[in-house]
Amino acid sequence: QVQLVESGGGLVQSGGSLRLSCIVSGNIRSIALKGWYRQAPGKQRELVARIGDSDAGSTKYADSVKDRFTISTDNTKNTVDLQMNSLKPEDTAVYYCYIRAGYYIEEGTDFWGQGTQVTVAL
């Protein structure tokens, strides 16, 4: 059984920083994509940052977080981290860790974490 467990969310003042971590466990032979999504109240879930779209090391960021957030991964530990700097109130959301397990993006299986709340106060 595949499990994604997030940690690191919380309350922070505008301009502050938080680091989210996700540990992936279970019977996984390969991961084609890994990343973070978020969902704010009343809005659809959206991509924040993702690794693996074009090649194993390629990264993709939402325009709203470029130059503020950094995604990183440790393949030996199966972790996916998101460093969030210069946080803004509009970053407030539940953040979800995500992977697409498999060798190829087109044929993978999606898994999600339970979510961790990030709240940015004015």
Side-chain angles (χ1 to χ4, degrees):
Q1 186 174 353
V2 176
Q3 280 192 315
L4 284 67
V5 179
E6 302 111 332
S7 62
L11 172 65
V12 65
Q13 297 284 44
S14 181
S17 298
L18 280 175
R19 187 177 183 88
L20 305 182
S21 295
C22 175
I23 298 175
V24 181
S25 63
N27 186 17
I28 303 174
R29 295 188 176 184
S30 184
I31 299 176
L33 289 174
K34 55 186 74 173
W36 290 89
Y37 285 69
R38 68 186 180 187
Q39 188 167 17
K43 295 187 177 181
Q44 289 190 330
R45 190 172 297 188
E46 64 175 1
L47 170 70
V48 177
R50 199 163 68 189
I51 294 177
D53 281 80
S54 301
D55 56 63
S58 67
T59 56
K60 180 178 181 178
Y61 292 92
D63 288 342
S64 59
V65 306
K66 280 180 182 176
D67 300 324
R68 298 190 298 123
F69 291 11
T70 302
I71 188 171
S72 60
T73 183
D74 185 336
N75 292 327
T76 63
K77 299 178 182 178
N78 262 354
T79 60
V80 186
D81 291 349
L82 186 69
Q83 178 65 42
M84 305 185 294
N85 298 328
S86 302
L87 282 160
K88 305 175 181 180
E90 50 263 44
D91 294 318
T92 295
V94 176
Y95 284 70
Y96 296 90
C97 181
Y98 158 84
I99 67 164
R100 176 161 291 179
Y103 290 100
Y104 305 104
I105 295 174
E106 298 81 8
E107 300 174 352
T109 302
D110 294 343
F111 294 93
W112 296 89
Q114 80 284 356
T116 185
Q117 177 69 46
V118 171
T119 302
V120 184
L122 289 169

